[in-house]
Amino acid sequence: MLKNINPTELKAWKKLQKNFDNDKRTLKTRFFEDPDRFNKYHIKWDGLLFDFSKNHIGSETFSLFKELLNEANVREAIQLQQGGEKINVTENRAVLHTALRNMSGDPILMDGEDVMPGIRDSWAKLAAFSNEVRSGDWKGHTGKRITDVVNIGIGGSDLGPRMVINALRPFVSDAMDFHFVANVDGADLHEVLRKVDAETTLFIIASKTFTTQETMKNANSAKEWFLNHGGAESSVAKHFVAVSTNADGVAGFGIDTKNMFGFWDWVGGRYSVWSAIGLPVILAIGFQGFQEFLSGAHAMDKHVATADWDKNIPAQMAMLGIWYRNFHGAASHAILPYDQYMDRFAAYFQQGDMESNGKYVGRDGKKVNYATGPIIWGEPGTNGQHAFYQLIHQGTDLIPADFIASKKPQHSLTDHHPILLANFIAQTEALMTGKSRTEVEIEMRQAGISDATVDEIAPFRVFEGNRPTNSIVADELNPYHLGQLIAAYEHKIFIQGYIWNVFSYDQWGVELGKVLAKAVLGELTGSGVRHEHDSSTSALINYLK
Ligand code: F6P
């Protein structure tokens, strides 16, 4: 069991509050006073650079981060999680996505039983199936090879494989196209079905529970489409496979459980890309590539569990996040990959972080009296620079941001890369240094602008700066480093949730909407009983009926 903590009662927390109150030096001043900041506040580890020197921290803050991590006994919490304890108390489950990438050969016990043999069996089944499909040996019902894979799933059963396939596009086989359908809005499925051929399409129905309304509706519509486009019930097995923990549900849908890839209730949906939910990734980059992806994550699991706190990437990410959320009052956190292939990375961690730590009830069942998970958002650079960065630079909110890039590009247009990296670096510098009134005035006068116009316009051109950023650089965006990066964010989320004293692995907050949607659906279609609603809800139902 994870112990109960009131973070604000921790001695280190109180000291951090004092440090915050007493040390308001700007980032620029900090760098001016200590030119060695980069050396002090960066971590280089296994092909990753984590530069956190452009943050509002000094040596005292940094040592208090460590003190807090020790006082809260985060080390023990990590061991409990990775050791198979049922830390997801409200669902009575362990949280073992780390076992799914345990490449060490060591056993991992859950309820006294080693989970690794089951995981290895699942790898063998996934490897055999993916090899058959990738080689073209798996044939559709008319004897043709599979050319299109359509993953039907939502949330964790969609965002993970979708994000990873995009991120690893240069490693993806050209023999097949990969499509994702998540939204119950028929437009999503419709647009994919327009592009594919029933004879050569493989549908993966991905749902941990196999009860999710959106996925079941899309799956049924896809099956209907298949049957209306030359498929027969007897050939469904050639074109539909399932990834789920619910064998009865899969069989009930009409998929042979031989074509089901299972996983376990101790894998949270938003942490399931490492399980059979990663099947589209395996089909796309091959099982070997997937194992490299798992290996990167496994290396990060060991790193978070064993590295000293001051050299521990996820622990520093977590403490910096808490620092801004709880002491600086930052409501959101931006993730800004300077990598077009990572275009879904922020969206992926919107679920990963916000579904995990978006909670106001503490592990003691009481409402917390401090802020918990921030709003996570972001888009790739440089696009964001020409859209929302204005607010990060000159808006009234403090928005800490992670800038992510790779040293080496994964495409042949290599002369673009220095331009991309120049922007990546320049933005964090600009956010930190800003531009003073004096600088603006000098610049305007040098451009021959009159004194009157300088007086009038200069205030708008001043940047306060002092905006904090992390810079994360991978040697290259390959399966291994992507695995590391994702796992780093997962551990950050865990450490933060643990310190905020919330249960990070349940998601009760999404249930009410699902129940009400069922009730409203009955009313909209006339098939259900009428319920009492407020006047707005009733009017909307009547209007849309
Ligand atoms: O409603 C939220 C949620 O349960 C997520 O946690 C999950 O990733 C998603 O729905 C999909 O669930 P399933 O894989 O069971 O269809």
Side-chain angles (χ1 to χ4, degrees):
M1 260 274 262
L2 295 180
K3 67 175 185 174
N4 265 308
I5 305 172
N6 181 343
T8 60
E9 295 298 320
L10 296 175
K11 283 196 215 89
W13 187 283
K14 291 184 175 152
K15 289 191 210 165
L16 276 170
Q17 187 60 55
K18 277 206 188 110
N19 177 258
F20 173 77
D21 295 338
N22 296 336
D23 186 358
K24 302 282 187 200
R25 280 175 296 170
T26 63
L27 292 173
K28 239 164 109 175
T29 308
R30 290 182 192 280
F31 271 91
F32 179 74
E33 288 177 0
D34 182 2
D36 204 31
R37 274 185 75 80
F38 172 78
N39 284 333
K40 286 185 184 153
Y41 306 125
H42 83 267
I43 301 169
K44 237 189 249 159
W45 170 79
D46 200 11
L48 289 185
L49 167 71
F50 178 60
D51 170 16
F52 57 107
S53 56
K54 291 193 185 86
N55 278 293
H56 291 284
I57 57 167
S59 52
E60 193 187 338
T61 333
F62 189 46
S63 75
L64 287 173
F65 282 180
K66 196 167 170 170
E67 206 174 306
L68 195 140
L69 289 158
N70 285 331
E71 194 181 345
N73 209 350
V74 171
R75 196 70 79 185
E76 182 194 67
I78 294 170
Q79 277 157 8
L80 290 176
Q81 186 253 303
Q82 296 196 14
E85 276 283 314
K86 294 200 173 159
I87 61 166
N88 176 0
V89 169
T90 67
E91 296 179 330
N92 192 28
R93 289 171 182 167
V95 177
L96 273 180
H97 47 275
T98 45
L100 300 168
R101 56 215 194 194
N102 170 23
M103 314 306 274
S104 70
D106 295 340
I108 294 183
L109 301 185
M110 212 268 300
D111 278 341
E113 211 175 297
D114 184 10
V115 298
M116 292 313 299
I119 292 172
R120 280 191 283 270
D121 284 353
S122 129
W123 286 343
K125 191 169 170 187
L126 288 163
F129 176 70
S130 58
N131 286 340
E132 214 181 326
V133 176
R134 281 168 62 86
S135 65
D137 289 348
W138 179 283
K139 303 278 192 246
H141 69 285
T142 56
K144 295 185 183 161
R145 65 159 295 155
I146 298 298
T147 58
D148 291 88
V149 175
V150 180
N151 190 78
I152 296 182
I154 198 164
S157 302
D158 165 71
L159 289 164
R162 195 195 282 256
M163 179 274 280
V164 171
I165 287 186
N166 281 9
L168 298 179
R169 180 62 55 189
F171 298 82
V172 171
S173 148
D174 281 337
M176 289 180 284
D177 283 331
F178 292 84
H179 313 267
F180 289 86
V181 175
N183 202 327
V184 75
D185 181 346
D188 205 5
L189 180 62
H190 172 79
E191 286 305 320
V192 170
L193 294 181
R194 262 166 27 101
K195 293 186 206 130
V196 299
D197 181 339
E199 290 179 61
T200 55
T201 299
L202 178 72
F203 291 94
I204 301 174
I205 314 301
S207 174
K208 180 176 168 182
T209 55
F210 230 75
T211 56
T212 303
Q213 186 191 43
E214 293 92 328
T215 302
M216 292 303 103
K217 181 67 189 164
N218 279 324
N220 279 307
S221 299
K223 190 170 155 192
E224 209 176 295
W225 173 87
F226 174 73
L227 296 175
N228 289 334
H229 285 76
E233 278 290 350
S234 57
S235 42
V236 165
K238 291 267 154 231
H239 294 271
F240 285 79
V241 298
V243 182
S244 186
T245 57
N246 176 359
D248 291 344
V250 169
F253 175 81
I255 292 181
D256 189 334
T257 46
K258 279 208 302 274
N259 295 334
M260 167 178 157
F261 300 90
F263 59 112
W264 303 269
D265 69 358
W266 39 259
V267 182
R270 54 195 172 273
Y271 298 91
S272 62
V273 69
W274 318 101
S275 72
I277 288 289
L279 177 58
V281 178
I282 304 175
L283 290 169
I285 66 168
F287 192 70
Q288 176 65 34
F290 190 67
Q291 293 249 303
E292 283 163 29
F293 175 61
L294 299 184
S295 299
H298 176 59
M300 187 56 81
D301 297 341
K302 285 200 290 193
H303 170 78
V304 73
T306 56
D308 287 347
W309 292 135
D310 44 12
K311 289 281 165 226
N312 194 310
I313 297 173
Q316 292 303 326
M317 289 168 82
M319 285 312 304
L320 287 161
I322 289 176
W323 184 231
Y324 292 118
R325 184 81 183 105
N326 299 101
F327 297 87
H328 289 256
S332 82
H333 182 99
I335 300 181
L336 309 169
Y338 276 63
D339 192 318
Q340 190 56 34
Y341 291 126
M342 292 177 79
D343 63 344
R344 301 301 292 166
F345 195 76
Y348 176 71
F349 277 111
Q350 245 161 12
Q351 182 192 17
D353 201 317
M354 293 164 79
E355 208 175 64
S356 297
N357 289 340
K359 295 170 186 166
Y360 63 72
V361 178
R363 288 198 292 275
D364 56 0
K366 301 198 181 98
K367 197 164 171 174
V368 301
N369 59 359
Y370 45 83
T372 61
I375 297 159
I376 300 292
W377 61 286
E379 285 287 328
T382 57
N383 302 17
Q385 290 175 204
H386 300 274
F388 54 79
Y389 277 36
Q390 164 64 36
L391 188 143
I392 307 184
H393 281 287
Q394 282 190 319
T396 50
D397 283 349
L398 174 80
I399 302 176
D402 293 342
F403 281 68
I404 306 174
S406 298
K407 273 194 205 167
K408 191 177 143 221
Q410 294 291 10
H411 53 77
S412 56
L413 299 175
T414 49
D415 58 332
H416 287 234
H417 206 58
I419 305 175
L420 179 74
L421 292 183
N423 278 279
F424 163 79
I425 295 168
Q427 284 298 323
T428 62
E429 187 182 28
L431 283 162
M432 175 176 84
T433 54
K435 200 193 253 185
S436 67
R437 171 83 186 216
T438 317
E439 287 169 300
V440 170
E441 286 186 7
I442 292 170
E443 188 184 279
M444 290 178 84
R445 291 211 170 89
Q446 276 172 355
I449 297 170
S450 72
D451 285 355
T453 308
V454 169
D455 273 355
E456 191 189 336
I457 304 298
F460 304 99
R461 295 174 60 156
V462 171
F463 287 50
E464 276 177 352
N466 210 24
R467 318 263 158 154
T469 54
N470 293 319
S471 297
I472 304 173
V473 185
D475 280 353
E476 59 179 307
L477 191 66
N478 59 22
Y480 184 85
H481 290 311
L482 182 68
Q484 285 178 319
L485 270 180
I486 299 172
Y489 276 89
E490 288 181 350
H491 291 304
K492 164 199 157 157
I493 293 165
F494 170 68
I495 295 172
Q496 291 186 329
Y498 170 68
I499 293 173
W500 282 323
N501 206 41
V502 297
F503 284 124
S504 298
Y505 298 101
D506 60 17
Q507 56 285 317
W508 297 107
V510 298
E511 292 308 316
L512 178 61
K514 292 185 191 172
V515 173
L516 294 186
K518 287 211 175 97
V520 171
L521 178 62
E523 291 179 66
L524 269 184
T525 55
S527 61
V529 289
R530 280 179 56 105
H531 297 268
E532 280 295 312
H533 300 282
D534 58 88
S535 60
S536 160
T537 308
S538 299
L540 284 168
I541 292 171
N542 287 334
Y543 187 71
L544 289 170
K545 213 166 170 171

